[in-house]
Amino acid sequence: MANDKTTDDSAQGDSNDANTRVQELIKYVKIKAKPVELTGEIKIPKIKPNSFIDVKPQLLTALEPLERLGYPVGGLVPNWKEVFLKKMDEILKKYRSVKLFLNICVRCGACTDKCHYFIGTADPNNMPVARAELMRKVYRRYFTWQGKLLGSKYVNGSDLSEELLAMWYTYFYQCSECRRCSVFCPYGIDTAEITMAAREILNSVGLVQKYVHEIIDKAQNIGNNLGMQKNAIINALEFVQDELQETTEIPDIRVPIDEEGADVLFVTPSADFFASPHIESLYGYAKVFHQAGISWTMSTHASEGGNFGLFIHNYGHMKKINKRIWEAARQLKVKRVIGGECGHMWRVLSSYSNTMFGPFDWLDSRFPRPQHICEFTLDLLKRGALKIDKTANDEFVVTMHDSCQVARGLEMGGTKYGQFEIPRGVIRGVCNRYEDMPDNTIKERTFCCGAGQGLLGDDMIATRVKGAIPRMQAYSYAKREKGVNFLALICAICKAQLSKMFPTYGIPMEEVGGIHQLVGRAIVLGAKEGI
Ligand code: SF4
Ligand code: SF4
Ligand code: SF4
């Protein structure tokens, strides 16, 4: 823990003034960013210091969610330095990985040009090593004996100041925690973990981001990101069912809700209930379950797959949101849990669920862990349990964007590289034409869409436009060289971001969609084959 001399530093001064000054330093300013020309090449830019220093997300100031979520109200807390260092100390003790990552960087530079936000903005503070350095400087100053004894000057550290807080708030919200940089680091340093820890520290002193926390509040207290009450969920899903029955002319195709005793609990992002290009995948899931002849149900209690608690390293939020899935599975007495197309849900369900609140140990022993919908569908395809007409997708040459939370999360289906091969297997199973984007932009080296982990709000549009550049260039290369005209995805945030970025970069938004949108088009409904 930090020495006392530093925590009651006279520079802490009058707390109201500090709060006012910090609010001014991190004030949200609407900034426009122009898309670049799509050449198909990903160029490493010449650095432009501080080119994105003015882009910051909006703060959450409304009393209600802040109080409900247990965060300080009214902005920066009066004794913020003390709270900051106490929280950092707690994190360093609790998450040994963060401490390790702060200690072992040798500044080799291998990560410097690997972040999509650096490539997009040219701001050197968006180099992963520089981003992490913001925390390392505080670590060296307050958590090493040399720093405590000799002060920041002798350890290349930073004293806590309002300017430093503003830098933290700015650049730890220009990181989508995509973990691409960690793939290239010879020591496996995961800057995403540093970002998550930094956000948790910022929250503890009263600097809380509006977009993420309003959603966490809705997901935790109402049950889904959109804040839909039970009746609204039922209405929305009944509407989906009506649409399906009308368009397929199959009266018994269903979207079951809260049906106790169903074999499968299916959970998906609430975006799938309405918006395009999300709802098309929901049609696809319903068709797969119908044609497989498997009883399934959605749940009004677990009406959200996405887990924004992951964005800020807060296991309390993560657990409360995810526990709804576990509770619904128990209440409905299902044998199996399957998750839809959602990167963050997959990461939490596959990597954290079992240890966060105990295992799903009453499920069918053949499916003891929650599964991904792509595992489920590929298995059916391989066994010939679905009738498929691939020509229904012949208008498309399809490519796939590996969503970071899936690609750099746990393997899918218990098989090495399953997270890359299973979704591609589904696409190939329902489409005749598939082409990958360049190797350095896919699979474990995939580029983020530019809007993950709390950057999807309109306040971050400038960062989103710039952060999307590598993905847009890779797609335009595949389009030009291989005739690709459809980007298939398995993440709701990626779908929302890229369906906005495609038109921004002059490509029709209809070229973005879910993998189960393609499945839904190709599946031949009718006489059941059984499984
Ligand atoms: S690649 Fe790893 S060790 Fe090298 S500078 Fe980046 S974080 Fe540090
Ligand atoms: S985790 Fe992703 S967004 Fe964050 S610094 Fe690394 S590459 Fe950039
Ligand atoms: S939004 Fe998609 S691409 Fe971006 S970090 Fe999340 S999973 Fe990755």
Side-chain angles (χ1 to χ4, degrees), residues 236-386:
L237 294 178
E238 282 179 351
F239 178 78
V240 173
Q241 180 173 287
D242 290 347
E243 279 283 302
L244 267 170
Q245 291 177 350
E246 207 177 300
T247 51
T248 59
E249 297 179 359
I250 293 183
D252 63 344
I253 190 164
R254 301 185 57 224
V255 180
I257 313 162
D258 293 337
E259 292 195 357
E260 195 177 309
D263 282 343
V264 173
L265 168 66
F266 179 69
V267 188
T268 201
S270 54
D272 286 0
F273 302 172
F274 302 101
S276 206
H278 309 259
I279 195 168
E280 289 80 1
S281 281
L282 181 50
Y283 295 146
Y285 311 138
K287 289 180 184 177
V288 170
F289 285 120
H290 174 82
Q291 197 58 17
I294 282 192
S295 69
W296 66 295
T297 186
M298 295 182 69
S299 157
T300 51
H301 182 66
S303 52
E304 180 59 63
N307 194 322
F308 276 34
L310 176 66
F311 296 7
I312 49 166
H313 210 270
N314 187 309
Y315 283 78
H317 294 319
M318 226 195 293
K319 189 170 169 175
K320 279 186 190 150
I321 296 168
N322 198 27
K323 194 163 186 193
R324 285 176 169 268
I325 299 176
W326 188 83
E327 287 166 346
R330 279 201 92 98
Q331 279 160 12
L332 296 169
K333 302 186 176 68
V334 297
K335 299 190 186 101
R336 221 166 154 176
V337 177
I338 297 179
E341 296 175 354
C342 178
H344 302 92
M345 169 170 60
W346 174 248
R347 176 110 184 268
V348 176
L349 267 185
S350 64
S351 304
Y352 303 117
S353 272
N354 272 0
T355 50
M356 266 198 304
F357 41 74
F360 287 79
D361 50 8
W362 72 95
L363 296 179
D364 185 324
S365 57
R366 289 171 300 162
F367 318 108
R369 289 196 326 192
Q371 291 179 290
H372 196 280
I373 186 69
C374 285
E375 283 175 75
F376 178 71
T377 303
L378 184 62
D379 177 55
L380 293 167
L381 287 170
K382 280 184 173 166
R383 289 196 279 134
L386 302 176

Side-chain angles (χ1 to χ4, degrees), residues 114-117 128 131 175-181 191-192:
K114 303 302 185 294
C115 176
H116 50 293
Y117 293 122
R131 195 184 314 287
C175 168
S176 57
E177 301 167 14
C178 75
R179 306 166 88 210
R180 185 172 195 267
C181 47
T191 306

